[in-house]
Amino acid sequence: MAALLGLVLAAGCTAQRQAAAPGGGEPAEAAVPMAGDGGEMMAAALAKIPEALPGAPPLGEVLRRDLAERLAAAGAAYEPRTRHLREDGSPLYTNRLFLSSSPYLQQHAHNPVNWFPWGDEAFEAARRLKRPVLLSIGYSTCHWCHVMEEESFEDPEIARVMNELYIPIKVDREVRPDVDAIYMQAVQMMSGGQGGWPLNAWLTPDREPFFGGTYFPPRDGDRGARTGFLTILQQLSRVYHEQPDKVAQAAAQLVEALQAGLGGHPPASSPPDAGVLRRAFGFYAGHFDPVDGGLNRAPKFPSSLPVRFLLRYDRRTGEDQALEMATLTLRKMATGGLYDQAGGGFHRYATDARWLVPHFEKMLYDNALLAVTYLEAWQATGDPSFARITREILRYVRRDMTSPEGAFYSATDADSRTPDGHAEEGYFFTWTPEEIQSVLDPVAARLVKAHYGVTAGGNFEGRSILHVARPLEEVAAELEVPAEEARRLLDAAREALYEARKARPAPLRDEKILAAWNGLMIGAFARAGLALDEAADVEAAAAAARFILERMRDDRGRLNRSFKDGRAEHPAFLEDYAFLIGGLLDLYEAGSDPRWLREAVALQAILDDHYADPAGGYYTTSDDHEKLLAREKPGYDGAEPSGNSVAALNLLRLAHFTGEDRYRAAADRLLAAFGATLEGSPAALSEMLLALDFRLDDVREVVLVTPSAKASAGVLLDPLRRLFLPSRVLAVVPQGKAQAPHAALLPMVEGKIAQEGKVTAYVCKLGVCRLPTTDPSELVEQLRQVAPLPQAGP
């Protein structure tokens, strides 16, 4: 067993810190008569569903009919994602995953593997057949997941071995982050802390892991590996059957460690002090890349350096280095290949230290978080280029990632198709000089090629990733074009390139709608709409919020995690509630509709009733969720913030909005619950540092009262938009009867009036207000007073 554990590999998509018939099919039953055109189509589809997959028991007639109905409904235009096709283009193999709404599971629906989705059926089959389970976890835009699929899961020989020796289960980590968290932790324990996707774990029928790894090459010697996936499958099956005691012992030890590790540390007696913020800054300063920004390593993730924390640290301490680190990083990211110069939006991470060569997938959550980051950098510095990036990110999301109903899709793939039909990472986003020249006039083409570094040799697989190779002013001078005209030409050229590449086969778009990621993007649109005075952005946020609240809740008012193909599925997790609550609070501040605050309060009540740990913080899953090996209390901020980090800030904001101290007490318990991590490794909870900074600040409660419901607050909102004031809550309310719905939720607004018929500002602290003002300069003066960090802590 120890020798086998040494086979774990750590390649793959980098993680930051994912009486039935044999085989589980129903017993055969009499066929239902088919008649008419529909019956003929169904009969034709049924003929294309195999009786059994290689090495697997029969699928059973009920399952085959379900699969046939799905195939018939897909229609003649359906293009199966597999190399195993019949002469007419229909799939040779189809498995249970074809019935799933998950785009990732759908990608594997025509593998020759007898895949099961996660659920009791699979584990009951494993128990009945006395087999181990092979659990494979990934997501739809994961490049190395695609590689392993093509090399191993599409290989009939490997599929046959999997089907003969295991019950294979496929999980979409974006739909089931609870399952992913458990088995990712197990793999990291076995591999010394390394993990990633695809994640492959070997389990007992009781769901207990005993071996795992990430990407495995298919056969011995492939990609330089001594032992390939096929050999590992065979060896682990022998170990499972020949050494059951050792397998049981290894699994029991792992489960015990998982339950201890995922449940969190004992809480501290009180929330951490400002020393945590100082130590966090010291860590980031000590690991900063002074040339290219970010942390001094590769690959580079946008989240690896928490710019929003650095902006707050500079504001509270006047530490120029913090601001320099933040702005250098943002500029380097925005001018590198990590940023889609033609279409807007950021790719997931850079494979190099210069932010030049990205991993080309685009994730909704990255772009939501970065839109807010650049917006805050604009407020902190006044640099218009930062506001431009925020606008471009949101334009990208609006036109490429928004559903007809207004909700936001999840991601786009790293891989795309070349003109000859081959899959190639990044092809869609890269250019040759000839392609540039075919789209643009000669002057614009010369400008773009020089500015964005497009050369004959290219910088990626013989093609060029657009990046700012030379300053626009320098290129304009060389071409004898006035600077203002050069900017106009460049903007028009970028739009032309965006339109031209739409003729290329686009990367796969994952069109599932996740409550959590939509919550982040709702917040991004709402904050931008408020700060940049863009009503359309506020409405985009509101449209998505309406979709989530009206289409993704069950009859108990509880959220679902995912929406796809017209239905909402899977009970929501902590991050779904926390991210959506945060977005709704942002939307209330931006749009002044009391509905959004009311909904945020109601969702917080569900979290408190069903997800809370009495010792502080929240579990990933509710108290009535499926029982897994462990109940995680997430305490690590990676590419996405943890639900607990966002929940901490939500609680503090709700305390100031509502005046209810129970929210502040819950926030203090949460911060204390993660006190050990914050004290010992503050960089592990970089997003929670924002909540701690808020907790230690003199938070301003700002109320703007308009003379009527239709009157604008613009004269006082305008200066407020441009201020970097992260520790504040904002309510814009009318006076009179229309104020009542706000006052029912926010006691701080009750009775406040617009003096002399003018919009009037009230700046308060814990309900105690300064003299009201109608003067924008006086309002700015009241708000600009910055409380220095408390001096407690080293």
Side-chain angles (χ1 to χ4, degrees):
M1 190 69 179
L4 283 176
L5 289 175
L7 297 175
V8 176
L9 304 178
C13 295
T14 304
Q16 276 205 40
R17 70 158 300 238
Q18 77 249 207
E26 294 290 335
E29 57 186 50
V32 178
M34 300 178 183
D37 291 341
E40 292 174 3
M41 290 177 59
M42 180 62 183
L46 187 60
K48 295 175 180 177
I49 303 300
E51 297 281 347
L53 295 164
L59 293 175
E61 285 305 307
V62 171
L63 176 57
R64 290 187 68 241
R65 286 186 59 79
D66 288 344
L67 295 171
E69 287 178 3
R70 176 71 178 83
L71 187 60
Y78 176 64
E79 296 183 6
R81 182 190 167 96
T82 179
R83 66 173 185 257
H84 303 293
L85 298 173
R86 303 172 191 270
E87 290 185 0
D88 64 356
S90 63
L92 182 61
Y93 305 113
T94 301
N95 59 59
R96 289 169 181 79
L97 302 188
F98 196 43
L99 304 176
S100 170
S101 65
S102 159
Y104 177 61
L105 268 57
Q106 281 280 320
Q107 289 175 0
H108 292 265
H110 301 297
N111 297 160
V113 177
N114 187 31
W115 291 116
F116 286 74
W118 178 272
D120 291 340
E121 179 189 14
F123 291 101
E124 288 168 1
R127 191 172 292 107
R128 183 176 65 253
L129 298 173
K130 297 181 173 57
R131 294 182 186 175
V133 166
L134 174 62
L135 173 65
S136 181
I137 303 176
Y139 57 99
S140 69
T141 57
C142 168
H143 172 71
W144 282 97
C145 300
H146 301 335
V147 171
M148 190 161 183
E149 176 192 15
E150 176 66 24
E151 291 178 344
S152 293
F153 303 144
E154 281 279 276
D155 184 306
E157 180 188 11
I158 294 177
R160 177 177 293 276
V161 171
M162 291 173 65
N163 295 340
E164 289 174 345
L165 302 181
Y166 296 93
I167 298 297
I169 295 178
K170 179 61 74 172
V171 166
D172 183 339
R173 69 170 297 266
E174 294 173 351
V175 174
R176 292 301 303 266
D178 55 334
V179 173
D180 177 61
I182 289 171
Y183 297 102
M184 176 61 74
Q185 180 82 352
V187 167
Q188 289 175 329
M189 288 176 175
M190 286 185 277
S191 63
Q194 296 176 326
W197 300 278
L199 183 78
N200 294 287
W202 281 257
L203 319 181
T204 72
D206 293 325
R207 313 186 189 207
E208 298 177 341
F210 61 91
F211 184 78
T214 55
Y215 162 79
F216 295 97
R219 290 174 172 80
D220 299 355
D222 289 344
R223 297 185 183 270
R226 185 180 64 182
T227 309
F229 187 56
L230 180 59
T231 299
I232 292 172
L233 289 170
Q234 295 163 335
Q235 289 180 342
L236 284 175
S237 177
R238 285 196 295 271
V239 169
Y240 180 82
H241 291 291
E242 295 173 5
Q243 303 180 53
D245 292 342
K246 289 186 177 180
V247 169
Q249 181 181 9
Q253 290 173 347
L254 269 173
V255 170
E256 183 178 358
L258 284 169
Q259 292 171 343
L262 292 173
H265 301 287
S269 57
S270 61
D273 61 24
V276 166
L277 304 181
R278 295 189 181 90
R279 287 191 292 278
F281 172 70
F283 170 83
Y284 291 116
H287 293 79
F288 182 67
D289 180 345
V291 175
D292 293 300
L295 294 189
N296 196 9
R297 67 188 185 201
K300 282 187 173 178
F301 287 81
S303 59
S304 63
L305 188 79
V307 169
R308 295 177 66 204
F309 162 68
L310 294 175
L311 294 175
R312 284 156 176 76
Y313 195 81
D314 168 69
R315 171 182 172 268
R316 297 280 295 279
T317 67
E319 177 59 70
D320 291 343
Q321 185 183 1
L323 185 61
E324 291 165 3
M325 290 164 60
T327 54
L328 175 66
T329 298
L330 294 180
R331 291 191 178 99
K332 289 291 187 175
M333 288 198 307
T335 57
L338 183 76
Y339 188 65
D340 180 359
Q341 304 294 338
F346 283 88
H347 299 290
R348 184 163 178 251
Y349 66 89
T351 61
D352 63 327
R354 298 170 48 210
W355 307 102
L356 173 61
V357 180
H359 191 49
F360 288 92
E361 63 191 301
K362 287 184 178 179
M363 313 301 294
L364 186 70
Y365 61 79
D366 279 328
N367 284 285
L369 295 166
L370 286 167
V372 173
T373 301
Y374 277 87
L375 184 71
E376 290 189 346
W378 167 70
Q379 291 174 318
T381 66
D383 185 336
S385 70
F386 294 144
R388 175 178 62 83
I389 295 297
T390 293
R391 288 189 176 98
E392 290 177 2
I393 291 172
L394 297 184
R395 182 180 63 171
Y396 149 69
V397 172
R398 187 180 285 109
R399 63 186 182 180
D400 291 351
M401 298 296 289
T402 302
S403 73
E405 302 89 350
F408 305 117
Y409 297 135
S410 292
T412 55
D413 208 331
D415 297 341
S416 52
R417 295 280 173 184
T418 62
D420 60 4
H422 289 92
E424 186 175 309
E425 184 178 7
Y427 182 87
F428 181 80
F429 298 100
T430 55
W431 297 85
T432 65
E434 294 75 20
E435 289 169 342
I436 297 289
Q437 291 157 196
S438 71
V439 174
L440 304 176
D441 65 56
V443 174
R446 289 175 63 195
L447 182 79
V448 165
K449 288 187 294 180
H451 180 56
Y452 286 135
V454 180
T455 63
N459 52 31
F460 182 76
E461 306 293 339
R463 299 172 62 81
S464 291
I465 302 166
L466 301 186
H467 67 291
V468 178
R470 295 172 60 193
L472 182 61
E473 296 77 12
E474 177 184 306
V475 175
E478 182 179 281
L479 297 178
E480 298 182 348
V481 175
E484 188 173 317
E485 174 66 5
R487 171 52 64 185
R488 187 195 67 77
L489 283 172
L490 183 66
D491 289 343
R494 292 168 64 216
E495 190 65 18
L497 294 177
Y498 169 80
E499 291 296 330
R501 80 180 188 193
K502 285 166 66 175
R504 302 173 180 176
L508 171 88
R509 183 170 65 188
D510 184 332
E511 295 188 353
K512 70 175 178 293
I513 293 163
L514 296 177
W517 298 3
N518 270 254
L520 292 176
M521 191 55 77
I522 288 167
F525 270 101
R527 289 185 179 211
L530 175 62
L532 302 174
D533 196 15
E534 295 285 351
D537 287 345
V538 178
E539 176 49 35
R546 287 192 292 268
F547 182 92
I548 303 300
L549 294 171
E550 294 167 10
R551 304 287 300 279
M552 293 182 65
R553 286 199 285 197
D554 62 22
D555 53 10
R556 303 171 299 167
R558 305 271 284 273
L559 280 177
N560 283 296
R561 166 73 170 177
S562 178
F563 185 96
K564 182 74 168 60
D565 296 337
R567 66 183 189 268
E569 294 181 303
H570 308 292
F573 302 102
L574 163 62
E575 65 180 43
D576 297 298
Y577 282 95
F579 295 2
L580 182 57
I581 291 167
L584 292 173
L585 294 178
D586 294 331
L587 187 51
Y588 174 70
E589 292 187 321
S592 305
D593 184 343
R595 176 192 178 182
W596 309 126
L597 182 57
R598 185 168 58 250
E599 295 280 16
V601 169
L603 293 173
Q604 184 62 48
I606 294 173
L607 264 190
D608 292 336
D609 290 344
H610 296 286
Y611 293 76
D613 178 357
Y618 299 91
Y619 293 105
T620 294
T621 56
S622 66
D623 53 11
D624 53 2
H625 188 82
E626 174 190 353
K627 301 305 180 204
L628 301 174
L629 291 181
R631 194 178 180 200
E632 183 197 21
K633 189 160 75 170
Y636 174 78
D637 294 326
E640 297 175 66
S642 74
N644 274 305
S645 291
V646 175
L649 187 54
N650 291 344
L651 289 166
L652 291 167
R653 294 174 73 188
L654 284 168
H656 285 277
F657 272 123
T658 68
E660 295 190 30
D661 197 59
R662 62 188 176 94
Y663 291 125
R664 185 176 291 102
D668 283 352
R669 288 196 301 274
L670 190 158
L671 292 169
F674 294 97
T677 302
L678 285 167
E679 293 285 355
S681 303
L685 282 167
S686 55
E687 191 81 11
M688 198 174 287
L689 299 176
L690 308 187
L692 182 59
D693 177 81
F694 190 102
R695 177 68 177 86
L696 296 172
D697 203 358
D698 288 333
V699 178
R700 319 298 164 81
E701 298 145 0
V702 182
V703 181
L704 302 185
V705 184
T706 59
S708 68
K710 295 183 178 180
S712 171
V715 67
L716 293 185
L717 262 183
D718 287 342
L720 187 61
R721 299 180 203 280
R722 294 187 292 271
L723 285 179
F724 179 53
L725 191 64
S727 300
R728 66 108 176 96
V729 297
L730 171 67
V732 180
V733 302
Q735 69 177 2
K737 291 182 180 180
Q739 192 179 103
H742 299 269
L745 297 161
L746 286 77
M748 69 179 185
V749 311
E750 189 169 6
K752 289 184 169 57
I753 63 171
Q755 296 187 339
E756 301 175 356
K758 299 179 181 179
V759 59
T760 303
Y762 296 79
V763 178
C764 314
K765 179 181 175 183
L766 297 177
V768 179
C769 303
R770 301 186 63 171
L771 290 175
T773 183
T774 60
D775 182 357
S777 60
E778 172 60 23
L779 173 60
V780 170
E781 182 62 27
Q782 292 185 19
L783 293 175
R784 271 190 172 154
Q785 298 173 15
V786 177
L789 278 181
Q791 292 304 307

